[in-house]
Amino acid sequence: MSTKKKVAIMTSGGDSPGMNAAVRACVRMAIHMGCDVYCIYEGYEGLVRGGDLIRKMEWHDVRGWLSEGGTLIGTARCMAFFERAGRLTAAKNMILNGIDALIICGGDGSLTGADRFRAEWPSLLEELVATKSFTKEQVEQYKHLNIVGLVGSIDNDLSGTDATIGCYSALARICDAVDLIEATAYSHSRAFVVEVMGRHCGWLALLAGVATGADFIFIPEKPREDNWREEMCGVVHQHRKLGKRKTIVIIAEGALDREGNKITAEMVKDLLADKDGLGLDTRITTLGHVQRGGTAVAYDRMLGTLQGVEAVKAVLEATPETPTCFIAITENKITRKPLMQAVQDTKEVAKAIQRQDFDMAMSLRDAEFSEQYNSFMMTTAVQLDKEIMLPEKERMKIGFINVGAPAGGMNAAVRAGVAYCLSRGHEPVAVHNGFAGFARHHGDSPLGAVRPFNWLEVDGWASKGGSEIGTNRELPSESGMELIADLIEQYEFDALFLIGGFEAFHAVSQLRKARDQYPSLCIPMTLLPATISNNVPGTEYSLGSDTCLNELVSYCDKIKQSASATRRRVFVIETQGGRSGYVATLGGLGVGASAVYTPEEGLSLDMLAADVRHLKEVFAHDKGQSRAGRLILINEKASKVYNAKLIADILRDEAHGRFESREGIPGHMQQGGVPSAMDRSRAVRLAIRCIEHLEKYGRKMHNKVKQDPMSASVIGIKGASIVITPIKQLEEEETDWPNRRPKAAFWLGMKEIVDVLGGRPTYERPEADLTGVKAKDVKRGLEGSDQ
């Protein structure tokens, strides 16, 4: 009988939110795959010291870890591991525990150390045999060490991945702080200089600048022009001249000028406060370790969990010839990449900054970084850069219209789109309250539904939830297609920019199909998906879905705390999402649900019975551990019969006094208040891409527009890239119209991970419903139901 594979997990370097999610996923996935699993406490220090710092983990040991901040297995600096003698002791401790597979979650320094450890492994074993610590036979089965890296870093500073575990939680802390600061800055008409982390990487400062609509940013990779003082004062002066009462400057701790000299928050503050210059009442806020603290946002929990699962698979599949890999994410796709190539590229960024080759430094960052920088420059310098203005004849009149339910990030998208239009010389026009407002209130006096934007007002929308220009579910066909076509001609729109959910998708589809009948509809139109349900064909991500998940996870954390405090209690939580189970599934991933019920899979009596039996068994073996509460998430349309209350009642009745159950319905709270940092920053990037796409068509190009399928399109993130897809293709090939969702969903595989990590036993899947003539024949007994 072969011995079980033994896998160890450790966290190293600076802590980051989401590390506990990664450790939990690694522990449970490794156990699920038949391994013995160990946690090495206190990072490399624990590896060198050994003893009780290397502990075997059981399934229940990581219960409740998802909602905890920092790293519960600790991290510590270890000077001994820098020396060969320390690494020799570490190798000895691993063999003593039978470990030859290691998963490390940390920054580039920690992962570089791990790769070196692996490279030296054969010589370390030889030395242990030579010093008679072990015999040759004892080390034979451990002759190959497999290592996989997970990148845990709030700075998001490793090349080769779009996001590191913890970076979006840190960004959320920064945006929360800046949102609070803005209120007092506005009240006193003050300027604030906010210093954020990022010694060699400006990702936090850049994305915070984009998400909060800051006036100016300083990042190490892209110093300002030769005279940054003059440039900053010029921008701030223009903003004040427009009527802005507040000024926010965000500076990374590693900010430099073109000559490589350090720029400090004090220097910026003195310049803004200079009585001979701007003379602004200026304060400094240094956020410090607040950025590291607190529980992980939903995205970091999801990222840590999915990457942890992938890391276990990778370390078990690795061969002696496999180069050390790390688990990355590109746009929306989890991938494995060579570790040392990424570390080398990361070091090249620091070297490029040091030798003042800033173009090289920017090129070594991922595509999103450069694009977000350009987005920031476009939105902060509205109408200041006359060189990017288009000639008069190429300028367009673009209608902005929100359709469907409100979603976090809608206002940030409108703001970015308006900023881009004004910077290029286009005329952005708001159509208030969707097609209903357009059709019935366009000519109202004194204020009609169709009116120009006021940039001073729009500039403050970056962090606002809801929809400032209103939104409505009404479709063009319901408003009257002929009337809508006439109004588009009356207001001389050259293009339409729509933001919204499935209703907006349906609206663009209707407008496209009506082009033959109404020539005025032969204008380019593009949709930026924004819905908490994330059910728009053509994209794997919709604005508002991240805000929704954060709200749901926060709600469930509180509910779970209550369930744990009373110990044996199950809460059944009803989530929104229409006929898409995205919110329920990703929410289940973020809170460690015991079961998730979705419309895609359905819900049957057999499933419920299996889950009731499982919960009974779980509570029967619960011998007083803490965090014994359980959660079940059910999508609002998972079943026509079973809802949250009924399931809670069934559980309570079947428990026979052994445990309690309650239902919880967060309802519209899931739409969120202040949009998440991710929804805001992605809104800016995607909105600018949309307007760039629209402006390619120019004005009065009706024939060209009619013949080009891309003239009615949806922007989205699919796999590893941003794509713009013709709506005709999506309508015909990729849309499940009766269920108002895409035919294929990238997240369906995550449902299995929720079940595995929640310890849910296998169950029989619900039968598919019979429909149409077949259903009638079976009911009449004319055909067997099993055919």
Side-chain angles (χ1 to χ4, degrees), residues 249-407:
V249 176
I250 298 178
I251 181 169
E253 60 182 326
L256 305 167
D257 66 14
R258 280 264 166 200
E259 278 70 52
N261 302 310
K262 187 168 175 55
I263 300 173
T264 65
E266 280 288 340
M267 291 163 68
V268 176
K269 179 220 167 193
D270 291 344
L271 192 61
L272 292 170
D274 184 4
K275 294 283 188 258
D276 296 326
L278 293 165
L280 298 175
D281 183 4
T282 309
R283 301 283 190 276
I284 294 175
T285 298
T286 303
L287 296 179
H289 283 75
V290 164
Q291 295 159 85
R292 280 195 194 282
T295 185
V297 296
Y299 182 84
D300 280 328
R301 297 185 193 198
M302 180 270 292
L303 186 64
T305 300
L306 295 181
Q307 290 191 341
V309 167
E310 186 65 22
V312 172
K313 291 178 183 175
V315 85
L316 294 180
E317 290 168 12
T319 65
E321 292 73 40
T322 310
T324 305
C325 77
F326 79 103
I327 312 301
I329 185 165
T330 307
E331 296 297 358
N332 229 19
K333 193 175 175 63
I334 303 287
T335 57
R336 302 176 193 177
K337 292 190 176 177
L339 172 64
M340 290 320 293
Q341 182 61 54
V343 169
Q344 190 58 40
D345 289 346
T346 304
K347 287 180 176 169
E348 283 301 319
V349 176
K351 286 177 187 170
I353 291 169
Q354 204 168 13
R355 64 174 183 266
Q356 294 159 40
D357 187 352
F358 299 111
D359 290 338
M360 174 61 77
M362 284 295 280
S363 70
L364 288 168
R365 293 283 181 223
D366 58 65
E368 184 194 13
F369 192 92
S370 299
E371 199 172 338
Q372 289 285 22
Y373 182 81
N374 293 333
S375 299
F376 175 79
M377 295 304 290
M378 184 68 74
T379 52
T380 194
V382 173
Q383 295 175 311
L384 300 183
D385 186 356
K386 302 299 179 191
E387 288 181 15
I388 60 172
M389 285 269 191
L390 290 170
E392 190 76 43
K393 66 178 190 305
E394 293 177 29
R395 296 177 188 178
M396 301 167 73
K397 187 175 185 181
I398 300 176
F400 284 58
I401 184 163
N402 291 349
V403 183

Side-chain angles (χ1 to χ4, degrees), residues 74-122:
T75 177
R77 289 193 178 279
C78 180
M79 300 313 292
F81 197 80
F82 283 96
E83 306 297 330
R84 183 175 170 86
R87 294 192 290 278
L88 189 70
T89 308
K92 181 179 178 180
N93 286 329
M94 285 182 68
I95 292 170
L96 284 172
N97 287 282
I99 299 163
D100 64 349
L102 190 57
I103 298 169
I104 298 177
C105 183
D108 61 336
S110 303
L111 299 178
T112 303
D115 188 70
R116 184 174 181 186
F117 188 43
R118 186 191 184 200
E120 283 185 356
W121 186 255

Side-chain angles (χ1 to χ4, degrees), residues 563 566-572 608 611-620 622 628-630 632 647-662:
T566 48
R567 289 194 13 80
R568 296 182 174 180
R569 179 171 284 178
V570 181
F571 271 92
V572 185
L608 273 177
D611 288 331
V612 169
R613 283 194 299 273
H614 171 57
L615 287 167
K616 277 183 172 179
E617 194 179 324
V618 163
F619 286 123
D622 172 23
R630 292 291 189 279
I632 290 174
I647 293 171
D649 289 344
I650 291 170
L651 286 170
R652 192 180 303 116
D653 192 55
E654 288 292 323
H656 302 297
R658 289 173 176 82
F659 59 87
E660 264 293 324
S661 69
R662 296 278 190 278

Side-chain angles (χ1 to χ4, degrees), residues 5-9 30 35-39 99 101-103 315-316:
K5 183 85 172 172
K6 295 187 178 184
V7 180
I9 298 116
C35 303
D36 282 339
V37 60
Y38 293 78
C39 276
I99 299 163
L102 190 57
I103 298 169
V315 85
L316 294 180

Side-chain angles (χ1 to χ4, degrees), residues 397-401 427-434 437-444 446-453 487-488 490-493:
K397 187 175 185 181
I398 300 176
F400 284 58
I401 184 163
E427 183 186 353
V429 177
V431 178
H432 289 256
N433 302 317
F438 196 22
R440 295 191 286 281
H441 302 286
H442 65 95
D444 285 6
L447 213 56
V450 182
R451 51 186 190 267
F453 288 100
L487 288 171
I488 284 172
Q490 179 185 327
Y491 285 97
E492 299 180 320
F493 285 135

